[in-house]
């Protein structure tokens, strides 16, 4: 498989000990082909993202054709194919957040960091993601910075927090 | 586009709930649903435990509970014995924390729930135990009568009697389409299958602005499992799957705990209540695809594939998961079942109006004072929900519209505020009941922009299998985008309307068929706003940024 030139050296190799966690999960699910999504969840939890090598590994472990593994990994937006930044900033784009100015938050982050949703700063420090709806509608607009939810936030507020990271 | 969900709560040492050995004088119910939890409700819980212990109150309980409903005013603590709720109990607010402890010790304070219209106008069936029990302790659920309905069903009723009870209750699917639940169950029950049937609980709640199912799963997971087991008994299935979004890690965690505890207690698994009926439940976690809420797509996803829908018939009731007869019900529908069995079809069908019987849970959000989770009898008016329960718009803002049904729903204007909220009236008004998201919009919202927001959602979530949805939503989005930038002509508006009809009539599944609804309903009630963008080149709400028209740029009159 081809590996992009800018791929980080951290890409997991076959002898990486973390694969054992994946193997345990595969065994527990009986290595059934229909466990594909569950196993991909586990791989992403362990390694943070799904690269080509990881998909081949899962394909062999479950006896599912590589084409189908790639098809599933790219169909669902929860699965990411690139390593994420050191910090993550998630902007909720649910209806309540949208009408309360979520787009202005994204614009400000774009102006501050130069990245759009799905992007990571060139130095690999911050990844920007969008969420469909966090269900935190009572605190709209909401952002999640490194697993912490911040509600009723302004563009200035989000810029301050990102610059403090 | 990349997405992410709510974070998993950090691992920490867990404070046990305070439960006195003797009689309980008062108990503090600390809301641990996602909204309050994101405002450090776990620290509030720890502090209250410390304070109660420090004051030597030995006949007072402090426990974790699910959603108390009034999310806007969190963190929330309820003291049910006194009928009071304490709002804004922040983790670092000494006075608020002491206020709760004073209340437990016998003092006054907090908001009385009996006279507060937010609470007094509600009727709780699905949410009956939300905020009353600790969702991570099966004994709490059993103590409030949990699993009595399942025991009653499997020991004293035949499957046909259970079917009859559910049919006579008049309950309809709470996931959106409103198909009669009894009819669906009967179809699955009548389909013979030598090698098994399945019950699937659809917890893939994808509508933006909707968090009903999540709150139920987080607040009373055993109730959903009990409903599934009763459904399994009625239709002849022994295996169940709960499909939950990956964005709801807390719901997944609590469900996992609930299944383990129920199996351990013999409430699920082999030979339930010493009958010959066995039922087990597995969890399947979604991976961020809105279309998986459609039942055939959901089946494909459980089977480990891409979540693309297929044409029906055959319906899942005849050929579903792995080709076996499969009953698929929404979380809220299944959570209503134990009460229907316990209290009877007559009791349930006395709630509601016309063909819409029982109660419905709504997630109230947007420009409304009391954002949160509510459960009301079907047939209340929009005005009662938005102004009496919801407390109206904050800061005296002017009401413009209320959106129901998410990306497949519509926007209802002020003139429809006295409309009854039931399946038929909403459909007539060009919207749908949907799963229960209800977003209030004030006059600072541009309705064309709202239509564009939902079309963007459908365009990105379209699975790509059928052309009308894949291409149609993209083209409709393009036209809406041009209108919001002040570039569109009247011809383009006509094109948008004709596309809307085509996409509705020819798409394969509900996602495509419903996707024109936000456009059609805003055109029906707010056409003047579209015309202002097109003819007058202005956005009346001041949301959209108008660009110079292409013709003017080409003629050199203005610079782009």
């Amino acid at each position: 498989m081809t590996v992009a030139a800018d791929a980080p050296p951290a890409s997991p190799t076959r002898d990486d000990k973390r694969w054992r966690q994946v193997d345990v999960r595969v065994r527990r699910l009986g290595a059934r082909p229909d466990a594909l999504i569950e196993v991909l969840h586990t791989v992403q939890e362990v390694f943070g993202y799904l690269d080509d090598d990881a998909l081949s590994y899962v394909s062999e472990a479950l006896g599912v054709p590589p084409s189908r593994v790639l098809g599933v990994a790219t169909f669902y937006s929860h699965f990411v194919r690139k390593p994420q930044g050191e910090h993550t900033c998630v902007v909720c784009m649910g209806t309540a957040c949208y009408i309360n100015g979520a787009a202005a938050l994204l614009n400000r982050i774009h102006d501050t960091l130069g990245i759009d949703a799905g992007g990571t700063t060139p130095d690999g420090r911050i990844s920007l993601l969008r969420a469909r709806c966090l269900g935190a509608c009572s605190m709209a607009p909401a952002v999640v910075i490194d697993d912490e939810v911040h509600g009723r936030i302004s563009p200035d507020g989000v810029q301050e927090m990102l610059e403090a990271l | 586009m990349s997405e992410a969900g709510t974070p998993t709560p950090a691992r920490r040492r867990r404070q046990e709930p305070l439960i006195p050995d003797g009689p309980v004088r008062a108990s503090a119910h600390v809301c641990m649903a996602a909204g309050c939890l994101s405002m450090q409700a776990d620290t509030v819980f720890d502090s209250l435990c410390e304070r109660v212990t420090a004051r030597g109150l030995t006949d007072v309980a402090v426990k974790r509970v699910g959603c108390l409903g009034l999310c806007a005013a969190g963190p929330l603590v309820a003291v049910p014995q006194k009928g009071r709720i304490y709002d804004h109990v922040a983790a670092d607010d000494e006075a608020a924390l002491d206020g709760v402890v004073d209340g437990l010790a016998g003092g006054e304070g907090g908001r009385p729930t009996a006279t507060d219209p937010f609470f007094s106008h509600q009727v709780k069936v699905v949410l009956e135990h939300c905020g009353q029990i600790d969702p991570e302790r099966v004994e709490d659920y059993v103590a409030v009568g949990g699993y009595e309905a399942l025991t009653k069903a499997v020991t004293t009723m035949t499957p046909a009697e259970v079917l009859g009870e559910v049919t006579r209750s008049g309950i309809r699917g709470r996931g959106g389409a409103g198909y009669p639940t009894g009819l669906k169950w009967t179809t699955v029950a009548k389909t013979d299958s030598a090698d098994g049937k399945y019950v699937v609980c659809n917890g893939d709640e994808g509508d933006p602005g909707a968090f009903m199912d999540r709150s139920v799963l987080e607040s009373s997971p055993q109730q959903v499992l009990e409903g599934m087991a009763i459904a399994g008994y009625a239709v002849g299935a022994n295996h169940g799957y709960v499909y939950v979004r990956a964005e709801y890690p807390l719901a997944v965690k609590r469900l996992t705990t609930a299944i383990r505890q129920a199996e351990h207690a013999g409430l699920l698994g082999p030979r339930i209540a010493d009958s010959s009926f066995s039922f087990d439940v597995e969890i399947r976690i979604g991976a961020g695809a809105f279309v998986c809420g459609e039942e055939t797509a959901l089946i494909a996803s459980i089977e480990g594939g891409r979540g693309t829908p297929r044409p029906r018939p055959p319906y899942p009731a005849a050929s579903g998961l792995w080709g076996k007869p499969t009953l698929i019900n929404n979380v809220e529908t299944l959570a209503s079942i134990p009460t229907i069995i316990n209290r009877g079809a007559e009791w349930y069908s006395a709630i509601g109006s016309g063909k819409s019987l029982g109660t419905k849970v709504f997630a109230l959000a947007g420009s409304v004072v009391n954002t949160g989770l509510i459960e009301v009898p079907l047939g209340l008016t929009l005005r009662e929900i938005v102004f009496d329960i919801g407390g109206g718009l904050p800061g005296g803002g002017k009401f413009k519209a209320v959106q129901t049904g998410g990306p497949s729903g519509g926007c209802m204007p002020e003139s429809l505020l006295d409309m009854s909220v039931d399946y038929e009236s909403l459909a007539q008004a060009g919207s749908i009941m949907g799963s229960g998201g209800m977003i209030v919009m004030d006059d600072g919202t541009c309705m064309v922009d709202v239509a564009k927001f939902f079309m963007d959602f459908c365009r990105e979530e379209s699975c790509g299998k059928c052309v009308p949805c894949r291409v149609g939503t993209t083209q409709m989005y393009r036209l809406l985008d041009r209108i919001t930038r002040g570039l569109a002509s009247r011809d383009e508006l006509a094109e948008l309307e004709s596309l809307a009809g085509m996409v509705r009539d020819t798409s394969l599944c509900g996602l495509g068929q419903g996707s024109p609804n936000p456009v059609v309903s805003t055109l029906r009630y707010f056409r003047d706003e579209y015309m202002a963008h097109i003819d007058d080149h202005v956005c009346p709400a001041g949301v959209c940024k108008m660009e110079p028209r292409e013709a003017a740029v080409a003629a050199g009159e203005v610079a782009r």
Side-chain angles (χ1 to χ4, degrees):
Chain A
M1 295 216 177
T2 54
V3 175
D6 59 348
S11 182
T13 57
R14 286 295 168 102
D15 49 10
D16 194 311
K17 290 205 171 60
R18 290 176 293 178
W19 282 114
R20 284 189 199 156
Q21 277 171 261
V22 177
D23 292 338
V24 168
R25 185 84 179 130
V26 169
R27 262 204 306 281
R28 196 164 292 163
L29 292 163
R32 297 200 317 256
D34 60 86
L36 177 56
I37 294 174
E38 311 291 302
V39 173
L40 289 178
H41 272 300
T42 307
V43 176
Q44 184 160 307
E45 270 162 36
V46 172
F47 296 109
Y49 67 106
L50 305 169
D51 66 1
D52 289 349
D53 216 35
L55 298 187
S56 307
Y57 190 95
V58 172
S59 161
E60 285 163 33
L62 298 180
V64 176
S67 58
R68 189 161 160 218
V69 178
L70 181 71
V72 168
T74 52
F75 182 84
Y76 295 97
S77 53
H78 182 78
F79 296 130
V80 292
R81 304 266 288 119
K82 285 182 292 194
Q84 299 297 296
E86 218 176 303
H87 303 282
T88 54
C89 172
V90 184
V91 178
C92 180
M93 293 300 283
T95 319
C97 290
Y98 183 77
I99 63 173
N100 278 308
L105 299 181
L106 281 178
N107 287 340
R108 178 63 68 86
I109 298 169
H110 175 91
D111 294 343
T112 310
L113 302 176
I115 51 171
D116 289 315
T120 301
T121 51
D123 59 3
R125 271 186 41 79
I126 303 175
S127 285
L128 176 63
L129 303 164
R130 299 203 297 180
R132 275 295 177 224
C133 183
L134 300 170
C137 308
S138 53
M139 305 196 297
V143 299
V144 184
I145 294 176
D146 288 341
D147 288 1
E148 204 171 314
V149 183
H150 302 271
R152 299 192 184 110
I153 196 158
S154 65
D156 287 340
V158 79
Q159 180 174 354
E160 246 171 63
M161 280 193 292
L162 289 174
E163 283 170 351
L165 281 178
Chain B
M1 192 193 83
S2 300
E3 292 190 25
T6 41
T8 320
R11 235 172 248 282
R12 52 203 292 286
R13 192 187 56 82
R14 199 176 152 83
Q15 160 80 42
E16 286 298 314
L18 294 184
I19 299 169
D21 296 327
V24 178
R25 175 160 53 132
S27 43
H29 290 183
V30 186
C31 177
M32 289 282 159
C36 288
L37 207 52
S38 68
M39 290 181 263
Q40 288 78 46
D42 44 355
T43 316
V44 172
F45 175 79
D46 292 355
S47 310
L48 284 177
C49 287
E50 268 170 37
R51 276 158 215 258
V52 164
T53 311
R55 259 207 234 178
L57 299 171
T58 50
D59 53 356
V60 159
V62 181
K63 64 182 202 173
R64 297 182 176 88
V65 297
C67 190
L68 289 168
L70 193 53
C71 307
L76 298 167
V77 180
V79 181
Q81 292 87 348
K82 308 198 145 225
R84 280 171 189 269
I85 195 158
Y86 296 79
D87 53 20
H88 300 289
V89 186
D92 54 0
D93 188 342
E94 304 277 330
L97 290 164
D98 283 333
V100 176
V101 181
D102 289 344
L104 289 168
E108 294 300 312
R111 277 163 83 155
T113 52
T115 51
D116 192 324
F118 178 81
F119 298 99
S120 62
H121 283 49
Q122 298 195 45
V123 174
K124 300 204 169 183
V125 174
V126 173
L127 303 182
E128 189 183 358
H129 306 307
C130 290
Q132 302 294 325
I133 59 167
D134 184 336
E136 300 192 50
R137 287 163 50 93
V138 66
E139 52 272 45
D140 256 38
Y141 182 59
V142 170
V144 294
Y147 286 101
E148 274 175 19
L150 177 61
T151 309
K152 177 179 169 187
V154 299
T155 56
T156 68
M157 296 167 85
T158 64
E161 283 168 344
V162 177
L163 287 178
E165 204 68 28
V166 172
T167 306
R168 280 187 293 116
S169 75
I171 184 171
R172 294 165 65 176
R174 297 290 189 243
Y179 190 78
T181 305
L183 204 56
K184 202 181 222 180
W185 285 30
T186 307
T187 314
V188 180
K190 277 198 291 203
T191 313
D192 289 321
S193 174
D195 47 359
K197 298 180 186 178
Y198 295 97
V199 172
V200 174
C201 171
N202 185 348
D204 189 52
E205 177 176 64
D207 287 6
F211 50 94
M212 302 75 50
D213 294 351
R214 187 189 71 181
S215 296
V216 173
L217 290 171
E218 285 176 0
S219 306
S220 189
Q222 299 285 359
Q223 194 179 336
V224 181
L225 297 177
E226 186 183 5
M228 288 178 73
I230 295 170
Y233 178 70
V235 304
N238 301 109
H239 304 285
Y241 284 95
V242 191
Y243 188 91
V244 194
R245 300 173 77 199
E247 290 89 335
Y248 291 175
L250 188 61
V252 173
K253 177 174 160 263
R254 289 187 179 162
L255 258 178
T256 311
T257 306
I259 293 173
R260 196 186 62 233
Q261 291 181 351
E263 283 175 349
H264 190 74
L267 300 163
L268 285 180
R271 302 182 53 80
I272 293 168
D274 291 325
S275 70
S276 58
F277 176 65
S278 305
F279 193 78
D280 57 51
V281 178
E282 261 184 76
I283 299 180
R284 279 283 187 266
I285 301 169
F290 175 68
V291 71
C292 287
E294 198 279 341
E295 56 184 17
T296 59
L298 187 144
I299 287 171
S301 186
I302 294 179
E303 291 174 351
R306 287 165 69 94
T308 48
R310 60 160 176 78
R312 300 174 298 179
Y315 285 89
S319 175
L321 199 53
W322 293 296
K324 311 287 189 319
T326 303
L327 174 72
I328 304 182
N329 274 147
N330 163 267
V331 169
E332 201 184 320
T333 314
L334 289 164
S336 307
I337 300 298
T339 306
I340 293 175
I341 298 299
N342 272 332
R343 301 212 185 184
E346 284 67 33
W347 179 86
Y348 189 81
S349 60
I351 308 170
S353 75
K355 287 185 192 166
S356 300
L357 301 178
T359 58
K360 177 81 193 84
V361 182
F362 290 102
L364 204 54
S367 301
V368 62
V369 173
N370 296 329
T371 54
L373 197 70
I374 60 164
E375 182 171 5
V376 295
L378 285 165
L380 241 56
T381 65
L382 275 174
R383 190 184 298 279
E384 285 170 299
I385 294 177
V386 175
F387 289 91
D388 295 347
I389 297 175
L393 281 73
K398 185 162 163 30
F399 176 91
K400 183 168 193 177
V402 58
Q403 208 276 348
T404 66
S408 311
C411 296
M412 265 115 11
E414 196 174 3
S415 59
L416 292 180
L417 271 177
D418 292 309
M419 183 185 82
S420 148
V421 177
D422 57 62
Y423 291 96
E424 281 71 30
S425 307
L426 283 166
Q428 241 172 34
S431 186
I432 57 165
M433 177 73 76
S435 56
M438 203 176 259
I439 317 263
V440 182
M441 296 170 184
D442 62 17
D443 54 5
T445 311
C446 169
M447 301 317 286
V448 188
D449 186 57
V450 167
K452 184 175 91 163
F453 164 77
F454 283 115
M455 194 54 71
D456 186 34
F457 183 95
C458 292
R459 171 182 73 119
E460 288 200 18
E461 291 298 331
S462 172
C463 79
K465 180 168 176 169
C466 77
V467 180
C469 174
R470 183 182 71 231
V471 183
T473 53
T474 300
Q475 291 304 328
M476 282 196 285
Y477 173 78
R478 189 184 65 85
L479 290 164
L480 286 164
D481 184 50
R482 283 180 57 78
I483 298 175
T484 56
R485 289 158 62 199
L487 301 175
S489 64
R490 285 189 170 216
D491 287 348
E492 286 175 284
L493 182 65
E495 199 181 326
L496 177 68
E497 292 193 84
S498 114
L499 259 177
M502 191 274 287
V503 171
R504 184 192 60 223
D505 296 341
T506 57
S507 292
L508 172 61
C509 82
L511 194 163
Q513 290 160 9
S515 66
N517 280 352
V519 178
V520 174
S521 73
T522 47
L523 270 168
R524 181 162 157 194
Y525 301 116
F526 301 95
R527 182 174 279 268
D528 52 332
E529 285 197 34
Y530 281 82
M531 297 327 289
H533 285 77
I534 294 167
D535 291 345
D536 309 333
H537 208 246
V538 291
C539 172
V543 173
C544 308
K545 282 200 188 76
M546 297 287 124
E547 295 175 19
R549 293 192 197 270
E550 284 140 345
V553 175
E557 287 166 28
V558 282
R560 171 61 49 85

